[in-house]
PDB file of all heavy atoms in Angstrom:
ATOM      1  N   ILE X 242      -9.437  -4.677  -3.979  1.00 98.00           N
ATOM      2  CA  ILE X 242      -9.819  -4.436  -2.587  1.00 98.00           C
ATOM      3  C   ILE X 242      -9.945  -5.754  -1.836  1.00 98.00           C
ATOM      4  O   ILE X 242     -10.567  -6.709  -2.337  1.00 98.00           O
ATOM      5  CB  ILE X 242     -11.154  -3.673  -2.500  1.00 98.00           C
ATOM      6  CG1 ILE X 242     -11.048  -2.309  -3.194  1.00 98.00           C
ATOM      7  CG2 ILE X 242     -11.599  -3.520  -1.047  1.00 98.00           C
ATOM      8  CD1 ILE X 242     -10.143  -1.303  -2.516  1.00 98.00           C
ATOM      9  N   LEU X 243      -9.378  -5.804  -0.635  1.00 98.00           N
ATOM     10  CA  LEU X 243      -9.507  -6.961   0.249  1.00 98.00           C
ATOM     11  C   LEU X 243     -10.163  -6.528   1.556  1.00 98.00           C
ATOM     12  O   LEU X 243      -9.919  -5.414   2.048  1.00 98.00           O
ATOM     13  CB  LEU X 243      -8.152  -7.582   0.577  1.00 98.00           C
ATOM     14  CG  LEU X 243      -7.341  -8.161  -0.580  1.00 98.00           C
ATOM     15  CD1 LEU X 243      -6.466  -7.084  -1.221  1.00 98.00           C
ATOM     16  CD2 LEU X 243      -6.451  -9.303  -0.096  1.00 98.00           C
ATOM     17  N   ILE X 244     -10.993  -7.394   2.114  1.00 98.00           N
ATOM     18  CA  ILE X 244     -11.537  -7.205   3.452  1.00 98.00           C
ATOM     19  C   ILE X 244     -10.698  -8.049   4.403  1.00 98.00           C
ATOM     20  O   ILE X 244     -10.650  -9.278   4.278  1.00 98.00           O
ATOM     21  CB  ILE X 244     -13.012  -7.624   3.546  1.00 98.00           C
ATOM     22  CG1 ILE X 244     -13.856  -6.919   2.480  1.00 98.00           C
ATOM     23  CG2 ILE X 244     -13.550  -7.335   4.953  1.00 98.00           C
ATOM     24  CD1 ILE X 244     -13.843  -5.410   2.535  1.00 98.00           C
ATOM     25  N   LEU X 245     -10.012  -7.381   5.312  1.00 98.00           N
ATOM     26  CA  LEU X 245      -9.212  -8.055   6.327  1.00 98.00           C
ATOM     27  C   LEU X 245      -9.957  -7.988   7.660  1.00 98.00           C
ATOM     28  O   LEU X 245     -10.558  -6.964   7.993  1.00 98.00           O
ATOM     29  CB  LEU X 245      -7.836  -7.401   6.472  1.00 98.00           C
ATOM     30  CG  LEU X 245      -6.990  -7.224   5.201  1.00 98.00           C
ATOM     31  CD1 LEU X 245      -5.602  -6.707   5.578  1.00 98.00           C
ATOM     32  CD2 LEU X 245      -6.879  -8.511   4.416  1.00 98.00           C
ATOM     33  N   GLU X 246      -9.896  -9.077   8.412  1.00 98.00           N
ATOM     34  CA  GLU X 246     -10.533  -9.123   9.729  1.00 98.00           C
ATOM     35  C   GLU X 246      -9.642  -9.863  10.713  1.00 98.00           C
ATOM     36  O   GLU X 246      -8.840 -10.720  10.316  1.00 98.00           O
ATOM     37  CB  GLU X 246     -11.876  -9.874   9.670  1.00 98.00           C
ATOM     38  CG  GLU X 246     -12.981  -9.195   8.922  1.00 98.00           C
ATOM     39  CD  GLU X 246     -14.307  -9.946   9.055  1.00 98.00           C
ATOM     40  OE1 GLU X 246     -14.781 -10.128  10.207  1.00 98.00           O
ATOM     41  OE2 GLU X 246     -14.861 -10.343   8.025  1.00 98.00           O
ATOM     42  N   SER X 247      -9.819  -9.555  11.965  1.00 98.00           N
ATOM     43  CA  SER X 247      -9.182 -10.401  12.967  1.00 98.00           C
ATOM     44  C   SER X 247      -9.842 -11.768  12.912  1.00 98.00           C
ATOM     45  O   SER X 247     -11.046 -11.882  12.608  1.00 98.00           O
ATOM     46  CB  SER X 247      -9.318  -9.794  14.366  1.00 98.00           C
ATOM     47  OG  SER X 247     -10.664  -9.873  14.814  1.00 98.00           O
ATOM     48  N   TYR X 248      -9.068 -12.773  13.187  1.00 98.00           N
ATOM     49  CA  TYR X 248      -9.588 -14.143  13.153  1.00 98.00           C
ATOM     50  C   TYR X 248     -10.768 -14.296  14.112  1.00 98.00           C
ATOM     51  O   TYR X 248     -11.776 -14.935  13.787  1.00 98.00           O
ATOM     52  CB  TYR X 248      -8.473 -15.117  13.510  1.00 98.00           C
ATOM     53  CG  TYR X 248      -8.904 -16.558  13.558  1.00 98.00           C
ATOM     54  CD1 TYR X 248      -9.077 -17.295  12.391  1.00 98.00           C
ATOM     55  CD2 TYR X 248      -9.142 -17.194  14.781  1.00 98.00           C
ATOM     56  CE1 TYR X 248      -9.471 -18.623  12.436  1.00 98.00           C
ATOM     57  CE2 TYR X 248      -9.535 -18.520  14.842  1.00 98.00           C
ATOM     58  CZ  TYR X 248      -9.700 -19.232  13.662  1.00 98.00           C
ATOM     59  OH  TYR X 248     -10.088 -20.541  13.708  1.00 98.00           O
ATOM     60  N   GLU X 249     -10.653 -13.656  15.288  1.00 98.00           N
ATOM     61  CA  GLU X 249     -11.721 -13.767  16.286  1.00 98.00           C
ATOM     62  C   GLU X 249     -13.024 -13.147  15.770  1.00 98.00           C
ATOM     63  O   GLU X 249     -14.109 -13.705  15.944  1.00 98.00           O
ATOM     64  CB  GLU X 249     -11.297 -13.063  17.587  1.00 98.00           C
ATOM     65  CG  GLU X 249     -10.139 -13.732  18.304  1.00 98.00           C
ATOM     66  CD  GLU X 249      -8.782 -13.242  17.819  1.00 98.00           C
ATOM     67  OE1 GLU X 249      -8.716 -12.552  16.776  1.00 98.00           O
ATOM     68  OE2 GLU X 249      -7.786 -13.570  18.481  1.00 98.00           O
ATOM     69  N   HIS X 250     -12.908 -11.985  15.144  1.00 98.00           N
ATOM     70  CA  HIS X 250     -14.095 -11.295  14.641  1.00 98.00           C
ATOM     71  C   HIS X 250     -14.757 -12.096  13.524  1.00 98.00           C
ATOM     72  O   HIS X 250     -15.984 -12.258  13.490  1.00 98.00           O
ATOM     73  CB  HIS X 250     -13.698  -9.901  14.137  1.00 98.00           C
ATOM     74  CG  HIS X 250     -14.855  -9.017  13.798  1.00 98.00           C
ATOM     75  ND1 HIS X 250     -15.427  -8.980  12.542  1.00 98.00           N
ATOM     76  CD2 HIS X 250     -15.557  -8.136  14.562  1.00 98.00           C
ATOM     77  CE1 HIS X 250     -16.418  -8.100  12.543  1.00 98.00           C
ATOM     78  NE2 HIS X 250     -16.527  -7.580  13.753  1.00 98.00           N
ATOM     79  N   ALA X 251     -13.930 -12.616  12.621  1.00 98.00           N
ATOM     80  CA  ALA X 251     -14.461 -13.407  11.506  1.00 98.00           C
ATOM     81  C   ALA X 251     -15.113 -14.691  12.006  1.00 98.00           C
ATOM     82  O   ALA X 251     -16.176 -15.102  11.524  1.00 98.00           O
ATOM     83  CB  ALA X 251     -13.347 -13.724  10.515  1.00 98.00           C
ATOM     84  N   THR X 252     -14.477 -15.332  12.978  1.00 97.00           N
ATOM     85  CA  THR X 252     -15.016 -16.578  13.536  1.00 97.00           C
ATOM     86  C   THR X 252     -16.347 -16.331  14.246  1.00 97.00           C
ATOM     87  O   THR X 252     -17.304 -17.105  14.096  1.00 97.00           O
ATOM     88  CB  THR X 252     -14.009 -17.204  14.515  1.00 97.00           C
ATOM     89  OG1 THR X 252     -12.790 -17.489  13.829  1.00 97.00           O
ATOM     90  CG2 THR X 252     -14.558 -18.491  15.117  1.00 97.00           C
ATOM     91  N   ALA X 253     -16.413 -15.244  14.996  1.00 97.00           N
ATOM     92  CA  ALA X 253     -17.616 -14.945  15.770  1.00 97.00           C
ATOM     93  C   ALA X 253     -18.833 -14.742  14.881  1.00 97.00           C
ATOM     94  O   ALA X 253     -19.962 -15.066  15.278  1.00 97.00           O
ATOM     95  CB  ALA X 253     -17.383 -13.704  16.635  1.00 97.00           C
ATOM     96  N   ARG X 254     -18.621 -14.234  13.667  1.00 97.00           N
ATOM     97  CA  ARG X 254     -19.778 -14.013  12.788  1.00 97.00           C
ATOM     98  C   ARG X 254     -19.938 -15.125  11.742  1.00 97.00           C
ATOM     99  O   ARG X 254     -20.765 -15.027  10.842  1.00 97.00           O
ATOM    100  CB  ARG X 254     -19.681 -12.649  12.103  1.00 97.00           C
ATOM    101  CG  ARG X 254     -18.576 -12.503  11.073  1.00 97.00           C
ATOM    102  CD  ARG X 254     -18.587 -11.106  10.457  1.00 97.00           C
ATOM    103  NE  ARG X 254     -17.637 -10.990   9.356  1.00 97.00           N
ATOM    104  CZ  ARG X 254     -17.893 -11.287   8.086  1.00 97.00           C
ATOM    105  NH1 ARG X 254     -19.101 -11.725   7.749  1.00 97.00           N
ATOM    106  NH2 ARG X 254     -16.981 -11.154   7.150  1.00 97.00           N
TER     107      ARG X 254
END
Side-chain angles (χ1 to χ4, degrees):
I242 300 292
L243 297 88
I244 306 301
L245 307 186
E246 291 186 59
S247 71
Y248 178 78
E249 293 88 348
H250 189 271
T252 300
R254 69 180 187 88

